[in-house]
Amino acid sequence: MVESYRSRIWHFPKGKINEGEKPHECAIREVLEEIGIDIKVYLKRSVFIDSFKDKKYTRLYIIEGVNESNLEIEIKTCEEIRTVQWVPVDRINWNNKVIAHLKR
């Protein structure tokens, strides 16, 4: 999960789908662009959470089986992401099914 630079709210890396792009391709691209990790080998198209909030559709892919010690996270967005943290799904406090807040 990533912590927003300004609001300090934790959420999943996300972004808008480009024309002709599939949701899973967007997820792979956004994570690579935002934190420098290629999740292509970890992403399973069938492991996701769909949500509608304020007339906005969101699909969150849950990535399983990642050995975080083998990955180098590099925040690549200037003043968008403060920090990154791997979080087990059962430790997330869900708010409106999309935005999660973590305690340090």
Side-chain angles (χ1 to χ4, degrees), residues 15-44:
K16 295 182 181 171
I17 295 178
N18 292 334
E19 187 174 331
E21 192 174 43
K22 295 178 180 170
H24 72 280
E25 294 168 336
C26 175
I28 292 166
R29 178 182 54 76
E30 286 290 340
V31 171
L32 187 59
E33 287 177 1
E34 291 182 6
I35 60 174
I37 295 174
D38 186 353
I39 61 168
K40 195 179 332 179
V41 296
Y42 302 105
L43 188 139
K44 294 179 184 162

Short mmCIF file of all heavy atoms in Angstrom, two decimals, residues 15-44:
data_model
loop_
_atom_site.label_atom_id
_atom_site.label_comp_id
_atom_site.label_asym_id
_atom_site.label_seq_id
_atom_site.Cartn_x
_atom_site.Cartn_y
_atom_site.Cartn_z
N GLY A 15 -4.57 4.30 -10.69
CA GLY A 15 -4.51 5.30 -11.74
C GLY A 15 -5.61 5.05 -12.76
O GLY A 15 -6.38 4.10 -12.65
N LYS A 16 -5.66 5.89 -13.75
CA LYS A 16 -6.68 5.79 -14.79
C LYS A 16 -6.23 4.84 -15.89
O LYS A 16 -5.06 4.79 -16.24
CB LYS A 16 -6.98 7.16 -15.36
CG LYS A 16 -7.60 8.08 -14.34
CD LYS A 16 -7.92 9.41 -14.92
CE LYS A 16 -8.53 10.27 -13.82
NZ LYS A 16 -8.68 11.63 -14.19
N ILE A 17 -7.22 4.13 -16.43
CA ILE A 17 -6.95 3.19 -17.52
C ILE A 17 -6.78 3.97 -18.82
O ILE A 17 -7.58 4.83 -19.15
CB ILE A 17 -8.11 2.18 -17.67
CG1 ILE A 17 -8.20 1.31 -16.42
CG2 ILE A 17 -7.93 1.32 -18.90
CD1 ILE A 17 -9.34 0.32 -16.44
N ASN A 18 -5.71 3.66 -19.53
CA ASN A 18 -5.49 4.25 -20.84
C ASN A 18 -6.43 3.62 -21.86
O ASN A 18 -6.87 2.48 -21.69
CB ASN A 18 -4.04 4.05 -21.30
CG ASN A 18 -3.05 4.83 -20.46
OD1 ASN A 18 -3.39 5.85 -19.87
ND2 ASN A 18 -1.83 4.34 -20.38
N GLU A 19 -6.69 4.33 -22.93
CA GLU A 19 -7.56 3.81 -23.98
C GLU A 19 -6.99 2.50 -24.51
O GLU A 19 -5.80 2.39 -24.82
CB GLU A 19 -7.65 4.83 -25.13
CG GLU A 19 -8.67 4.44 -26.17
CD GLU A 19 -8.85 5.52 -27.23
OE1 GLU A 19 -8.65 6.70 -26.92
OE2 GLU A 19 -9.17 5.14 -28.36
N GLY A 20 -7.84 1.48 -24.58
CA GLY A 20 -7.44 0.17 -25.08
C GLY A 20 -6.75 -0.71 -24.06
O GLY A 20 -6.41 -1.85 -24.35
N GLU A 21 -6.54 -0.21 -22.87
CA GLU A 21 -5.84 -0.95 -21.83
C GLU A 21 -6.85 -1.75 -21.00
O GLU A 21 -7.94 -1.29 -20.72
CB GLU A 21 -5.11 0.06 -20.93
CG GLU A 21 -4.11 -0.53 -19.97
CD GLU A 21 -3.35 0.56 -19.24
OE1 GLU A 21 -3.95 1.55 -18.80
OE2 GLU A 21 -2.12 0.39 -19.10
N LYS A 22 -6.47 -2.95 -20.60
CA LYS A 22 -7.31 -3.79 -19.75
C LYS A 22 -7.01 -3.45 -18.29
O LYS A 22 -5.91 -2.97 -17.98
CB LYS A 22 -7.04 -5.26 -20.04
CG LYS A 22 -7.45 -5.64 -21.44
CD LYS A 22 -7.15 -7.08 -21.75
CE LYS A 22 -7.58 -7.36 -23.17
NZ LYS A 22 -7.14 -8.63 -23.66
N PRO A 23 -7.97 -3.70 -17.37
CA PRO A 23 -7.74 -3.35 -15.97
C PRO A 23 -6.46 -3.93 -15.36
O PRO A 23 -5.73 -3.23 -14.66
CB PRO A 23 -8.99 -3.90 -15.26
CG PRO A 23 -10.05 -3.88 -16.30
CD PRO A 23 -9.33 -4.20 -17.59
N HIS A 24 -6.17 -5.19 -15.65
CA HIS A 24 -4.95 -5.78 -15.08
C HIS A 24 -3.69 -5.15 -15.68
O HIS A 24 -2.68 -5.01 -14.99
CB HIS A 24 -4.95 -7.30 -15.24
CG HIS A 24 -4.73 -7.77 -16.63
ND1 HIS A 24 -5.73 -7.80 -17.58
CD2 HIS A 24 -3.60 -8.21 -17.25
CE1 HIS A 24 -5.24 -8.25 -18.72
NE2 HIS A 24 -3.95 -8.51 -18.55
N GLU A 25 -3.74 -4.74 -16.93
CA GLU A 25 -2.59 -4.07 -17.56
C GLU A 25 -2.37 -2.70 -16.92
O GLU A 25 -1.23 -2.29 -16.69
CB GLU A 25 -2.82 -3.91 -19.06
CG GLU A 25 -2.87 -5.23 -19.81
CD GLU A 25 -3.38 -5.09 -21.24
OE1 GLU A 25 -4.11 -4.14 -21.55
OE2 GLU A 25 -3.03 -5.99 -22.04
N CYS A 26 -3.47 -2.01 -16.61
CA CYS A 26 -3.38 -0.72 -15.93
C CYS A 26 -2.74 -0.89 -14.56
O CYS A 26 -1.87 -0.10 -14.17
CB CYS A 26 -4.76 -0.10 -15.80
SG CYS A 26 -4.79 1.44 -14.87
N ALA A 27 -3.16 -1.91 -13.81
CA ALA A 27 -2.60 -2.15 -12.47
C ALA A 27 -1.10 -2.40 -12.55
O ALA A 27 -0.32 -1.84 -11.77
CB ALA A 27 -3.31 -3.34 -11.82
N ILE A 28 -0.69 -3.22 -13.49
CA ILE A 28 0.74 -3.51 -13.66
C ILE A 28 1.51 -2.24 -13.99
O ILE A 28 2.55 -1.94 -13.39
CB ILE A 28 0.94 -4.59 -14.76
CG1 ILE A 28 0.39 -5.93 -14.29
CG2 ILE A 28 2.42 -4.70 -15.16
CD1 ILE A 28 0.21 -6.96 -15.40
N ARG A 29 1.00 -1.45 -14.93
CA ARG A 29 1.66 -0.20 -15.34
C ARG A 29 1.74 0.80 -14.19
O ARG A 29 2.78 1.39 -13.94
CB ARG A 29 0.92 0.41 -16.53
CG ARG A 29 1.49 1.75 -17.00
CD ARG A 29 0.70 2.34 -18.15
NE ARG A 29 -0.72 2.47 -17.90
CZ ARG A 29 -1.28 3.42 -17.14
NH1 ARG A 29 -0.53 4.32 -16.54
NH2 ARG A 29 -2.60 3.46 -16.98
N GLU A 30 0.63 0.99 -13.48
CA GLU A 30 0.59 1.99 -12.40
C GLU A 30 1.56 1.64 -11.27
O GLU A 30 2.25 2.52 -10.76
CB GLU A 30 -0.83 2.15 -11.86
CG GLU A 30 -1.75 2.90 -12.79
CD GLU A 30 -1.42 4.37 -12.91
OE1 GLU A 30 -0.74 4.94 -12.04
OE2 GLU A 30 -1.86 4.98 -13.91
N VAL A 31 1.61 0.38 -10.88
CA VAL A 31 2.53 -0.02 -9.81
C VAL A 31 3.97 0.19 -10.25
O VAL A 31 4.80 0.71 -9.50
CB VAL A 31 2.29 -1.48 -9.36
CG1 VAL A 31 3.38 -1.96 -8.42
CG2 VAL A 31 0.92 -1.60 -8.68
N LEU A 32 4.28 -0.15 -11.48
CA LEU A 32 5.62 0.05 -12.01
C LEU A 32 5.96 1.55 -12.06
O LEU A 32 7.04 1.96 -11.64
CB LEU A 32 5.76 -0.57 -13.40
CG LEU A 32 7.15 -0.57 -14.02
CD1 LEU A 32 8.14 -1.33 -13.14
CD2 LEU A 32 7.11 -1.16 -15.41
N GLU A 33 5.03 2.37 -12.52
CA GLU A 33 5.27 3.81 -12.62
C GLU A 33 5.39 4.48 -11.25
O GLU A 33 6.17 5.40 -11.07
CB GLU A 33 4.12 4.49 -13.38
CG GLU A 33 4.13 4.23 -14.86
CD GLU A 33 2.93 4.85 -15.57
OE1 GLU A 33 2.09 5.51 -14.94
OE2 GLU A 33 2.86 4.67 -16.80
N GLU A 34 4.60 4.01 -10.27
CA GLU A 34 4.58 4.67 -8.97
C GLU A 34 5.65 4.20 -8.01
O GLU A 34 6.24 5.01 -7.29
CB GLU A 34 3.19 4.52 -8.33
CG GLU A 34 2.12 5.30 -9.06
CD GLU A 34 0.76 5.21 -8.41
OE1 GLU A 34 0.63 4.63 -7.31
OE2 GLU A 34 -0.19 5.74 -9.00
N ILE A 35 5.89 2.87 -7.97
CA ILE A 35 6.85 2.37 -6.98
C ILE A 35 7.93 1.46 -7.55
O ILE A 35 8.69 0.86 -6.81
CB ILE A 35 6.14 1.69 -5.80
CG1 ILE A 35 5.30 0.49 -6.25
CG2 ILE A 35 5.29 2.70 -5.04
CD1 ILE A 35 4.71 -0.31 -5.10
N GLY A 36 8.00 1.37 -8.87
CA GLY A 36 9.12 0.68 -9.52
C GLY A 36 9.12 -0.82 -9.40
O GLY A 36 10.17 -1.45 -9.59
N ILE A 37 7.99 -1.44 -9.13
CA ILE A 37 7.94 -2.90 -9.01
C ILE A 37 7.10 -3.47 -10.16
O ILE A 37 5.98 -3.02 -10.40
CB ILE A 37 7.31 -3.34 -7.66
CG1 ILE A 37 8.21 -2.89 -6.51
CG2 ILE A 37 7.12 -4.85 -7.61
CD1 ILE A 37 7.62 -3.16 -5.15
N ASP A 38 7.66 -4.47 -10.85
CA ASP A 38 6.93 -5.15 -11.92
C ASP A 38 6.15 -6.31 -11.29
O ASP A 38 6.74 -7.32 -10.90
CB ASP A 38 7.90 -5.67 -12.97
CG ASP A 38 7.19 -6.25 -14.18
OD1 ASP A 38 5.95 -6.37 -14.16
OD2 ASP A 38 7.88 -6.57 -15.16
N ILE A 39 4.84 -6.14 -11.17
CA ILE A 39 4.00 -7.16 -10.53
C ILE A 39 3.41 -8.15 -11.53
O ILE A 39 2.60 -8.99 -11.15
CB ILE A 39 2.86 -6.51 -9.70
CG1 ILE A 39 1.95 -5.68 -10.61
CG2 ILE A 39 3.43 -5.71 -8.54
CD1 ILE A 39 0.66 -5.25 -9.95
N LYS A 40 3.84 -8.07 -12.76
CA LYS A 40 3.29 -8.91 -13.83
C LYS A 40 3.28 -10.40 -13.46
O LYS A 40 2.30 -11.09 -13.70
CB LYS A 40 4.09 -8.70 -15.11
CG LYS A 40 3.44 -9.21 -16.35
CD LYS A 40 4.25 -8.95 -17.62
CE LYS A 40 5.11 -7.72 -17.50
NZ LYS A 40 5.93 -7.39 -18.62
N VAL A 41 4.34 -10.89 -12.87
CA VAL A 41 4.42 -12.32 -12.55
C VAL A 41 3.58 -12.69 -11.32
O VAL A 41 3.29 -13.87 -11.11
CB VAL A 41 5.88 -12.79 -12.34
CG1 VAL A 41 6.68 -12.63 -13.62
CG2 VAL A 41 6.54 -12.05 -11.21
N TYR A 42 3.20 -11.72 -10.51
CA TYR A 42 2.43 -11.98 -9.29
C TYR A 42 0.93 -11.78 -9.47
O TYR A 42 0.14 -12.37 -8.76
CB TYR A 42 2.89 -11.06 -8.16
CG TYR A 42 4.34 -11.18 -7.82
CD1 TYR A 42 5.25 -10.20 -8.20
CD2 TYR A 42 4.82 -12.28 -7.12
CE1 TYR A 42 6.59 -10.31 -7.89
CE2 TYR A 42 6.16 -12.40 -6.80
CZ TYR A 42 7.04 -11.41 -7.19
OH TYR A 42 8.36 -11.53 -6.88
N LEU A 43 0.54 -10.93 -10.39
CA LEU A 43 -0.86 -10.57 -10.54
C LEU A 43 -1.67 -11.71 -11.13
O LEU A 43 -1.29 -12.28 -12.15
CB LEU A 43 -1.00 -9.33 -11.43
CG LEU A 43 -2.41 -8.75 -11.50
CD1 LEU A 43 -2.34 -7.24 -11.46
CD2 LEU A 43 -3.13 -9.23 -12.73
N LYS A 44 -2.75 -12.05 -10.44
CA LYS A 44 -3.69 -13.04 -10.94
C LYS A 44 -4.96 -12.28 -11.27
O LYS A 44 -5.54 -11.62 -10.41
CB LYS A 44 -3.95 -14.11 -9.89
CG LYS A 44 -2.73 -14.93 -9.60
CD LYS A 44 -3.00 -15.96 -8.54
CE LYS A 44 -1.71 -16.70 -8.23
NZ LYS A 44 -1.77 -17.39 -6.96
#
